[in-house]
Amino acid sequence: LRRAQGGDQQAFHDLYQLHADLVFRRLTRLVGPVPEREDLMQEVFLRAYRGLGSFRGESAFSTWLYRVVVNQAYNHLRWRRRHPHDWQASPELDRLVDEHSSPETTARQRQRLERVLSLLDRLKPRKRVAFLLRVVDGLSMAEIAEIVDTTPAAAGQRVRHAQRELQRLVERERRKWSDNEGL
Amino acid sequence: MKASEESAKIVESIRDAVVATEGRGLDDVTRQRVHQRLVEHLDEPPRNNVWPVRTAAAALLVAGLVGVVLWIGGRRAAPTPALTLKHVSNQGHGLEVGTRTDELRVPDGVSVKAKVGEQGEVEAIGPARVAVDSATPGAVTLRLERGLLRARVNPTGRRFEVRAADVRVVVVGTHFLVDLRGGEPAVAVAEGVVTVLNKGSVGPRSITLHEGQAWRTGQEAAGPVPPRLAAALGVKPKPDPQEEARRHPPVLSQPPDFRSSRPAGAPAPPELLYRRAEAALRSGDRTLARARLEQVVRRFPDDKLAASALYELAQLAVRDGNPKLAQSFLRRLQRVRKDPSLHEPAHFLSCRIAVESGAMKGALECLQRFRRSYPSSPHDEEALYALIRLRLSRPGSCSVAAPLCDEYLRRYPKGDFARQVRRHRAECSR
């Protein structure tokens, strides 16, 4: 890390190799399996490289990098509020369903993913990110607050609001559709 | 059901679905591709300080001024339009060269060429209407609402899509057209490969079109480009291959030469071939993908893409249940000196194949060599766990496995296999 901070590109490449999987996984969790993940990942590492000088070791490097990931995710999710992603037509979801299952099971799995990702897309980026950090990563409010740069109380409020909003959306969907398997 | 239980169920369901979206995670080729793109952008040294206060103040001032101007104008800030008009055959219809827009309305008798960022170029032949559905540095989606659209997409560009009625045309590096003049979409390809996803009720759901092929809604399979579309595409119509073969039977059986359809002295660049292989893989056409990848290796053995192609070929061989062939591709990859960055994942893949094929001695040696060669590899954790499993598969080998378990728990206390390793370690201590 110290060598990378000094501008040693080889050291930064080693950091990339160590953290690439984690960054990609975190981005996927936060923004979903969109084709733009590669670009976002590149941007995360570029920003990390250019901002290494500001890393003073007050937190773990992975936490600092998580902050960069979250900021990129915010940017992307804000852009996506204006340009919604069409999950129904998304070929990325085809790769995620179990291809060895029956066509009915595959279709059901796919439909479930589409539904969940569309629901999450309806949340505001800040609420979505806080909610996912809490529910999927299992982070404490203090950890979330550190990553999204806010107070633990504010992080808790975002998570609760997101949860309430999701529940409302699911109920609305249930009233709309009789088929509500999976949610 | 109580509200809290209901809420917990929803949360659990969302968590499961979000975890499922991770799939197999980052594959080695993507990891490598992003790495290469990063290398190209790392020229600037890292900044040692955060923004100077003056720069931040200036940025705030400019942002404030822009805000005031927009507020006065009653306009909302919008992202930059994706299409830049490059050529208009007959100006004066509100279509001026240099204009940036997200929608093209081209009157009858006019044709408009527009640049789509770095992705490529499109030409709408009037009467036509084209709109940008979405545009990011990574993906562009256009919607053809009427008329004819000709497109030339850069092979280095990323995802490019044209939607017309119930049809989606997904391309990576190619020259093609979409015709909606007759009401039902037709697609013709002059160069490269496109995948057409058909959401209509008639015809196949997905079809892959190669050079010289065309497809129209309602057709069950691709056919040669009809003369009308060939003229619009700017290529000579090719005769039906079966008809041609009947008229002129081949004298010698020669391997197909990709370059024969290109101008003399202009071979297909490896990037283009590789992109075509990727497109074939995406569309599930493994045979074509394999052929394209082998072309990359055969024609450009010294190019860095040869290593990527060999890696893909090895993965295809694994999927086809041919570990020997996969290993031979991986051995060849290790000899590609131009781009050693794939050596590490190739070495690991080779070990995984050895483990899965039950060659215990070979797998042990492979994993030990791998760990010695790449001590900080991202695959080290998995390699170490595989070693522990291999050691434990022989009865009475706890004395060798226990130190490996200790090493794992020291290096990866929160690792993916930590629970299993702790259990193995406890069993060895008994």
Side-chain angles (χ1 to χ4, degrees):
Chain A
L1 183 62
R2 231 169 278 135
R3 281 196 292 125
Q5 280 183 307
D8 181 342
Q9 290 199 358
Q10 186 51 48
F12 185 73
H13 294 160
D14 291 345
L15 277 180
Y16 170 83
Q17 295 297 352
L18 268 177
H19 294 275
D21 289 296
L22 196 64
V23 166
F24 192 75
R25 203 160 57 223
R26 284 171 170 174
L27 275 171
T28 308
R29 285 182 180 186
L30 296 178
V31 303
V34 287
E36 291 90 0
R37 275 176 306 172
E38 271 184 46
D39 298 324
L40 291 173
M41 183 160 145
Q42 181 190 335
E43 200 54 37
V44 164
F45 278 101
L46 265 181
R47 286 186 183 225
Y49 180 70
R50 289 173 185 158
L52 267 178
S54 68
F55 176 66
R56 290 186 294 272
E58 287 159 357
S59 59
F61 177 70
S62 57
T63 310
W64 181 80
L65 194 60
Y66 210 163
R67 253 181 253 155
V68 184
V69 170
V70 164
N71 285 333
Q72 277 311 303
Y74 277 154
N75 289 344
H76 176 77
L77 291 170
R78 278 188 206 116
W79 175 84
R80 223 161 72 194
R81 303 270 293 174
R82 297 192 302 272
H83 304 85
H85 186 77
D86 182 4
W87 292 111
Q88 271 190 341
S90 178
E92 280 75 24
L93 294 192
D94 293 330
R95 280 176 227 133
L96 296 171
V97 292
D98 184 3
E99 56 190 22
H100 302 298
S101 302
S102 66
E104 290 80 20
T105 315
T106 312
R108 220 171 20 240
Q109 282 175 351
R110 200 198 142 102
Q111 203 179 19
R112 192 168 145 250
L113 289 177
E114 279 171 24
R115 208 177 281 178
V116 168
L117 290 165
S118 307
L119 279 177
L120 287 172
D121 277 355
R122 292 167 75 175
L123 294 178
K124 283 188 177 166
R126 283 180 191 281
K127 287 186 198 169
R128 176 188 179 135
V129 167
F131 174 77
L132 291 172
L133 291 176
R134 174 73 180 160
V135 167
V136 183
D137 285 1
L139 300 184
S140 68
M141 293 306 173
E143 286 170 320
I144 297 173
E146 196 188 348
I147 289 169
V148 303
D149 198 18
T150 185
T151 61
Q157 200 174 24
R158 285 181 198 173
V159 174
R160 278 192 302 279
H161 280 190
Q163 210 162 327
R164 242 177 276 154
E165 209 170 316
L166 284 169
Q167 198 170 351
R168 260 204 309 274
L169 289 169
V170 170
E171 275 161 15
R172 203 179 300 162
E173 274 220 338
R174 275 193 183 152
R175 279 199 294 274
K176 203 170 156 192
W177 306 99
S178 54
D179 171 30
N180 52 17
E181 202 170 332
L183 276 177
Chain B
M1 199 186 289
K2 280 183 193 168
S4 60
E5 283 177 29
E6 179 78 12
S7 174
K9 202 178 154 204
I10 291 171
V11 165
E12 197 180 326
S13 190
I14 290 175
R15 179 176 50 227
D16 292 348
V18 171
V19 170
T21 58
E22 288 170 19
R24 289 179 197 148
L26 179 65
D27 62 87
D28 293 324
V29 173
T30 310
R31 168 201 286 273
Q32 199 45 43
R33 196 161 46 218
V34 176
H35 185 247
Q36 275 174 1
R37 278 161 43 191
L38 257 179
V39 170
E40 288 161 17
H41 289 89
L42 285 186
D43 298 325
E44 293 173 32
R47 288 181 209 154
N48 287 323
N49 293 308
V50 288
W51 273 17
V53 176
R54 265 187 302 182
T55 316
L60 274 174
L61 187 66
V62 171
L65 282 173
V66 169
V68 169
V69 168
L70 287 180
W71 179 69
I72 290 170
R75 291 163 49 197
R76 292 179 59 192
T80 318
L83 301 172
T84 310
L85 269 52
K86 200 180 153 191
H87 177 259
V88 180
S89 67
N90 183 9
Q91 293 202 13
H93 302 271
L95 298 161
E96 304 299 331
V97 171
T99 311
R100 299 197 73 156
T101 179
D102 270 339
E103 193 183 22
L104 280 177
R105 286 170 187 265
V106 185
D108 199 2
V110 179
S111 75
V112 176
K113 272 188 192 168
K115 217 170 154 251
V116 192
E118 298 303 314
Q119 309 278 143
E121 202 175 279
V122 292
E123 185 177 9
I125 318 281
R129 197 154 73 222
V130 185
V132 178
D133 260 10
S134 71
T136 67
V140 170
T141 305
L142 304 181
R143 177 172 294 280
L144 177 65
E145 285 163 9
R146 63 186 290 221
L148 187 138
L149 185 79
R150 208 156 42 196
R152 191 178 280 279
V153 182
N154 293 333
T156 48
R158 302 284 305 288
R159 191 184 175 86
F160 191 97
E161 222 178 278
V162 177
R163 296 181 181 191
D166 287 334
V167 161
R168 286 172 58 204
V169 184
V170 185
V171 291
V172 182
T174 199
H175 175 196
F176 71 103
L177 69 73
V178 185
D179 181 9
L180 198 55
R181 290 176 298 186
E184 294 201 321
V187 184
V189 180
E191 201 180 309
V193 181
V194 307
T195 300
V196 183
L197 302 170
N198 177 18
K199 289 175 94 182
S201 51
V202 189
R205 287 189 62 187
S206 155
I207 189 161
T208 304
L209 300 180
H210 305 282
E211 287 169 25
Q213 287 191 320
W215 176 83
R216 176 174 285 283
T217 304
Q219 280 183 355
E220 277 305 316
V225 180
R228 196 172 77 108
L229 290 185
L233 202 51
V235 296
K236 283 184 187 168
K238 283 186 183 167
D240 189 326
Q242 286 177 353
E243 178 68 15
E244 186 71 354
R246 200 172 51 76
R247 272 197 223 158
H248 310 287
V251 182
L252 285 168
S253 86
Q254 284 181 334
D257 186 355
F258 178 79
R259 281 175 291 189
S260 59
S261 62
R262 305 182 69 81
E271 290 82 10
L272 185 55
L273 277 174
Y274 194 81
R275 293 284 172 192
R276 285 175 184 173
E278 283 187 318
L281 274 176
R282 245 192 298 277
S283 64
D285 191 344
R286 284 197 210 171
T287 314
L288 178 72
R290 204 175 290 118
R292 296 293 197 210
L293 292 167
E294 280 169 358
Q295 275 181 329
V296 174
V297 177
R298 202 172 53 247
R299 292 185 193 283
F300 308 97
D302 297 327
D303 192 275
K304 60 185 176 185
L305 276 176
S308 302
L310 282 164
Y311 190 76
E312 284 286 359
L313 281 166
Q315 285 193 316
L316 281 173
V318 171
R319 262 184 263 165
D320 292 343
N322 195 342
K324 274 191 180 169
L325 182 64
Q327 293 283 29
S328 82
F329 284 128
L330 294 172
R331 276 195 296 275
R332 282 172 68 187
L333 193 159
Q334 297 289 358
R335 291 197 292 271
V336 178
R337 292 282 157 222
K338 190 92 175 174
D339 181 21
S341 50
L342 269 175
H343 287 182
E344 182 268 328
H347 194 152
F348 186 65
L349 181 59
S350 168
C351 297
R352 260 176 34 197
I353 295 169
V355 171
E356 277 160 25
S357 58
M360 289 303 167
K361 193 171 171 233
L364 266 175
E365 284 171 5
C366 182
L367 286 166
Q368 283 166 341
R369 212 170 37 244
F370 174 78
R371 295 201 66 222
R372 272 199 306 274
S373 310
Y374 307 100
S376 60
S377 155
H379 296 114
D380 182 69
E381 183 193 347
E382 208 179 326
L384 183 52
Y385 183 62
L387 261 179
I388 294 170
R389 294 282 306 271
L390 281 179
R391 289 295 187 194
L392 286 173
S393 64
R394 286 185 189 168
S397 53
C398 258
S399 56
V400 195
L404 291 173
C405 289
D406 291 339
E407 186 188 347
Y408 182 99
L409 294 172
R410 197 172 55 248
R411 294 187 72 165
Y412 311 107
K414 289 183 183 171
D416 288 343
F417 313 103
R419 200 164 47 87
Q420 292 94 315
V421 173
R422 268 190 205 100
R423 189 162 45 81
H424 294 316
R425 184 68 185 89
E427 281 165 5
C428 277
S429 303
R430 266 182 230 145

mmCIF file of all heavy atoms in Angstrom, chain B residues 371 384 388 391-392 397-411 421 425 428:
data_model
loop_
_atom_site.group_PDB
_atom_site.id
_atom_site.type_symbol
_atom_site.label_atom_id
_atom_site.label_comp_id
_atom_site.label_asym_id
_atom_site.label_seq_id
_atom_site.Cartn_x
_atom_site.Cartn_y
_atom_site.Cartn_z
ATOM 1 N N ARG B 371 1.261 -21.988 -5.650
ATOM 2 C CA ARG B 371 1.383 -21.152 -4.461
ATOM 3 C C ARG B 371 2.785 -20.571 -4.323
ATOM 4 O O ARG B 371 2.958 -19.468 -3.819
ATOM 5 C CB ARG B 371 0.999 -21.946 -3.204
ATOM 6 C CG ARG B 371 -0.479 -22.353 -3.218
ATOM 7 C CD ARG B 371 -0.983 -22.664 -1.837
ATOM 8 N NE ARG B 371 -0.998 -21.487 -1.000
ATOM 9 C CZ ARG B 371 -0.611 -21.476 0.259
ATOM 10 N NH1 ARG B 371 -0.140 -22.582 0.825
ATOM 11 N NH2 ARG B 371 -0.658 -20.376 0.968
ATOM 12 N N LEU B 384 -5.145 -22.991 -1.438
ATOM 13 C CA LEU B 384 -4.761 -23.547 -0.140
ATOM 14 C C LEU B 384 -5.826 -24.513 0.363
ATOM 15 O O LEU B 384 -5.518 -25.603 0.876
ATOM 16 C CB LEU B 384 -4.545 -22.387 0.850
ATOM 17 C CG LEU B 384 -4.059 -22.726 2.255
ATOM 18 C CD1 LEU B 384 -2.829 -23.601 2.223
ATOM 19 C CD2 LEU B 384 -3.756 -21.445 3.041
ATOM 20 N N ILE B 388 -5.564 -28.530 1.226
ATOM 21 C CA ILE B 388 -5.997 -29.158 2.484
ATOM 22 C C ILE B 388 -6.909 -30.345 2.181
ATOM 23 O O ILE B 388 -6.749 -31.439 2.723
ATOM 24 C CB ILE B 388 -6.730 -28.109 3.368
ATOM 25 C CG1 ILE B 388 -5.748 -27.018 3.808
ATOM 26 C CG2 ILE B 388 -7.380 -28.763 4.583
ATOM 27 C CD1 ILE B 388 -6.392 -25.825 4.481
ATOM 28 N N ARG B 391 -4.915 -33.245 0.802
ATOM 29 C CA ARG B 391 -4.125 -33.909 1.853
ATOM 30 C C ARG B 391 -5.027 -34.777 2.724
ATOM 31 O O ARG B 391 -4.686 -35.900 3.076
ATOM 32 C CB ARG B 391 -3.425 -32.864 2.730
ATOM 33 C CG ARG B 391 -2.296 -32.136 2.052
ATOM 34 C CD ARG B 391 -1.168 -33.073 1.725
ATOM 35 N NE ARG B 391 0.002 -32.376 1.226
ATOM 36 C CZ ARG B 391 1.008 -32.977 0.624
ATOM 37 N NH1 ARG B 391 0.978 -34.289 0.402
ATOM 38 N NH2 ARG B 391 2.047 -32.300 0.216
ATOM 39 N N LEU B 392 -6.204 -34.234 3.074
ATOM 40 C CA LEU B 392 -7.092 -34.957 3.982
ATOM 41 C C LEU B 392 -7.758 -36.157 3.307
ATOM 42 O O LEU B 392 -8.309 -37.021 3.989
ATOM 43 C CB LEU B 392 -8.170 -34.006 4.518
ATOM 44 C CG LEU B 392 -7.683 -32.997 5.560
ATOM 45 C CD1 LEU B 392 -8.775 -32.001 5.884
ATOM 46 C CD2 LEU B 392 -7.239 -33.714 6.837
ATOM 47 N N SER B 397 -3.191 -38.475 7.155
ATOM 48 C CA SER B 397 -2.316 -37.402 6.664
ATOM 49 C C SER B 397 -2.520 -36.093 7.419
ATOM 50 O O SER B 397 -2.209 -35.022 6.914
ATOM 51 C CB SER B 397 -2.524 -37.189 5.171
ATOM 52 O OG SER B 397 -3.877 -36.994 4.933
ATOM 53 N N CYS B 398 -3.070 -36.217 8.645
ATOM 54 C CA CYS B 398 -3.332 -35.009 9.434
ATOM 55 C C CYS B 398 -2.049 -34.230 9.726
ATOM 56 O O CYS B 398 -2.068 -33.004 9.819
ATOM 57 C CB CYS B 398 -4.009 -35.386 10.744
ATOM 58 S SG CYS B 398 -5.787 -35.079 10.692
ATOM 59 N N SER B 399 -0.947 -34.962 9.893
ATOM 60 C CA SER B 399 0.295 -34.274 10.246
ATOM 61 C C SER B 399 0.698 -33.290 9.139
ATOM 62 O O SER B 399 1.320 -32.261 9.404
ATOM 63 C CB SER B 399 1.416 -35.295 10.463
ATOM 64 O OG SER B 399 1.546 -36.086 9.294
ATOM 65 N N VAL B 400 0.349 -33.596 7.900
ATOM 66 C CA VAL B 400 0.672 -32.681 6.800
ATOM 67 C C VAL B 400 -0.425 -31.631 6.648
ATOM 68 O O VAL B 400 -0.164 -30.464 6.326
ATOM 69 C CB VAL B 400 0.804 -33.459 5.456
ATOM 70 C CG1 VAL B 400 1.476 -32.613 4.403
ATOM 71 C CG2 VAL B 400 1.542 -34.762 5.658
ATOM 72 N N ALA B 401 -1.699 -32.054 6.886
ATOM 73 C CA ALA B 401 -2.824 -31.141 6.651
ATOM 74 C C ALA B 401 -2.936 -30.077 7.743
ATOM 75 O O ALA B 401 -3.311 -28.930 7.452
ATOM 76 C CB ALA B 401 -4.120 -31.944 6.560
ATOM 77 N N ALA B 402 -2.604 -30.457 9.012
ATOM 78 C CA ALA B 402 -2.805 -29.518 10.129
ATOM 79 C C ALA B 402 -2.046 -28.197 9.937
ATOM 80 O O ALA B 402 -2.630 -27.117 10.110
ATOM 81 C CB ALA B 402 -2.428 -30.191 11.449
ATOM 82 N N PRO B 403 -0.749 -28.232 9.561
ATOM 83 C CA PRO B 403 -0.072 -26.939 9.357
ATOM 84 C C PRO B 403 -0.705 -26.112 8.240
ATOM 85 O O PRO B 403 -0.734 -24.878 8.308
ATOM 86 C CB PRO B 403 1.365 -27.350 8.969
ATOM 87 C CG PRO B 403 1.509 -28.775 9.333
ATOM 88 C CD PRO B 403 0.158 -29.371 9.379
ATOM 89 N N LEU B 404 -1.252 -26.797 7.224
ATOM 90 C CA LEU B 404 -1.919 -26.062 6.139
ATOM 91 C C LEU B 404 -3.194 -25.394 6.662
ATOM 92 O O LEU B 404 -3.500 -24.252 6.306
ATOM 93 C CB LEU B 404 -2.259 -27.008 4.979
ATOM 94 C CG LEU B 404 -1.084 -27.557 4.177
ATOM 95 C CD1 LEU B 404 -1.547 -28.605 3.181
ATOM 96 C CD2 LEU B 404 -0.380 -26.426 3.428
ATOM 97 N N CYS B 405 -3.921 -26.147 7.537
ATOM 98 C CA CYS B 405 -5.134 -25.562 8.137
ATOM 99 C C CYS B 405 -4.754 -24.324 8.953
ATOM 100 O O CYS B 405 -5.427 -23.285 8.889
ATOM 101 C CB CYS B 405 -5.817 -26.571 9.058
ATOM 102 S SG CYS B 405 -6.600 -27.925 8.192
ATOM 103 N N ASP B 406 -3.666 -24.457 9.727
ATOM 104 C CA ASP B 406 -3.236 -23.320 10.547
ATOM 105 C C ASP B 406 -2.891 -22.119 9.672
ATOM 106 O O ASP B 406 -3.238 -20.983 9.976
ATOM 107 C CB ASP B 406 -2.009 -23.701 11.393
ATOM 108 C CG ASP B 406 -2.399 -24.710 12.474
ATOM 109 O OD1 ASP B 406 -3.601 -24.773 12.800
ATOM 110 O OD2 ASP B 406 -1.509 -25.446 12.951
ATOM 111 N N GLU B 407 -2.215 -22.404 8.584
ATOM 112 C CA GLU B 407 -1.836 -21.313 7.670
ATOM 113 C C GLU B 407 -3.086 -20.638 7.105
ATOM 114 O O GLU B 407 -3.177 -19.416 7.040
ATOM 115 C CB GLU B 407 -0.961 -21.851 6.534
ATOM 116 C CG GLU B 407 -0.437 -20.731 5.649
ATOM 117 C CD GLU B 407 0.269 -21.219 4.395
ATOM 118 O OE1 GLU B 407 0.584 -22.414 4.293
ATOM 119 O OE2 GLU B 407 0.481 -20.360 3.505
ATOM 120 N N TYR B 408 -4.060 -21.472 6.713
ATOM 121 C CA TYR B 408 -5.298 -20.917 6.155
ATOM 122 C C TYR B 408 -5.973 -19.996 7.171
ATOM 123 O O TYR B 408 -6.351 -18.865 6.854
ATOM 124 C CB TYR B 408 -6.260 -22.048 5.755
ATOM 125 C CG TYR B 408 -7.532 -21.519 5.129
ATOM 126 C CD1 TYR B 408 -7.688 -21.490 3.743
ATOM 127 C CD2 TYR B 408 -8.574 -21.002 5.906
ATOM 128 C CE1 TYR B 408 -8.841 -20.972 3.164
ATOM 129 C CE2 TYR B 408 -9.715 -20.478 5.340
ATOM 130 C CZ TYR B 408 -9.851 -20.475 3.973
ATOM 131 O OH TYR B 408 -10.977 -19.938 3.395
ATOM 132 N N LEU B 409 -6.098 -20.518 8.428
ATOM 133 C CA LEU B 409 -6.824 -19.740 9.438
ATOM 134 C C LEU B 409 -6.063 -18.472 9.822
ATOM 135 O O LEU B 409 -6.669 -17.469 10.198
ATOM 136 C CB LEU B 409 -7.088 -20.605 10.674
ATOM 137 C CG LEU B 409 -8.051 -21.768 10.394
ATOM 138 C CD1 LEU B 409 -8.132 -22.710 11.574
ATOM 139 C CD2 LEU B 409 -9.445 -21.238 10.047
ATOM 140 N N ARG B 410 -4.749 -18.512 9.681
ATOM 141 C CA ARG B 410 -3.957 -17.326 9.989
ATOM 142 C C ARG B 410 -4.134 -16.274 8.879
ATOM 143 O O ARG B 410 -4.332 -15.106 9.138
ATOM 144 C CB ARG B 410 -2.476 -17.734 10.093
ATOM 145 C CG ARG B 410 -1.614 -16.717 10.803
ATOM 146 C CD ARG B 410 -0.205 -17.216 11.066
ATOM 147 N NE ARG B 410 0.478 -17.681 9.858
ATOM 148 C CZ ARG B 410 0.801 -18.953 9.599
ATOM 149 N NH1 ARG B 410 0.495 -19.907 10.456
ATOM 150 N NH2 ARG B 410 1.423 -19.295 8.484
ATOM 151 N N ARG B 411 -4.094 -16.753 7.633
ATOM 152 C CA ARG B 411 -4.160 -15.813 6.512
ATOM 153 C C ARG B 411 -5.584 -15.382 6.178
ATOM 154 O O ARG B 411 -5.815 -14.263 5.739
ATOM 155 C CB ARG B 411 -3.520 -16.434 5.259
ATOM 156 C CG ARG B 411 -2.038 -16.672 5.411
ATOM 157 C CD ARG B 411 -1.439 -17.122 4.114
ATOM 158 N NE ARG B 411 -1.374 -16.021 3.150
ATOM 159 C CZ ARG B 411 -0.652 -16.048 2.055
ATOM 160 N NH1 ARG B 411 0.070 -17.106 1.774
ATOM 161 N NH2 ARG B 411 -0.640 -15.042 1.237
ATOM 162 N N VAL B 421 -12.463 -25.369 7.397
ATOM 163 C CA VAL B 421 -11.067 -25.586 7.795
ATOM 164 C C VAL B 421 -10.980 -25.743 9.315
ATOM 165 O O VAL B 421 -10.258 -26.603 9.818
ATOM 166 C CB VAL B 421 -10.169 -24.424 7.292
ATOM 167 C CG1 VAL B 421 -8.756 -24.546 7.838
ATOM 168 C CG2 VAL B 421 -10.140 -24.404 5.776
ATOM 169 N N ARG B 425 -9.498 -28.894 11.237
ATOM 170 C CA ARG B 425 -8.406 -28.713 12.192
ATOM 171 C C ARG B 425 -8.755 -29.383 13.528
ATOM 172 O O ARG B 425 -7.924 -30.041 14.150
ATOM 173 C CB ARG B 425 -8.147 -27.204 12.406
ATOM 174 C CG ARG B 425 -6.970 -26.894 13.304
ATOM 175 C CD ARG B 425 -5.684 -27.287 12.614
ATOM 176 N NE ARG B 425 -4.494 -27.127 13.440
ATOM 177 C CZ ARG B 425 -4.003 -28.062 14.253
ATOM 178 N NH1 ARG B 425 -4.622 -29.230 14.391
ATOM 179 N NH2 ARG B 425 -2.895 -27.862 14.927
ATOM 180 N N CYS B 428 -8.445 -33.055 13.294
ATOM 181 C CA CYS B 428 -7.041 -33.484 13.327
ATOM 182 C C CYS B 428 -6.478 -33.445 14.745
ATOM 183 O O CYS B 428 -5.576 -34.204 15.082
ATOM 184 C CB CYS B 428 -6.194 -32.590 12.423
ATOM 185 S SG CYS B 428 -6.267 -33.107 10.706
#
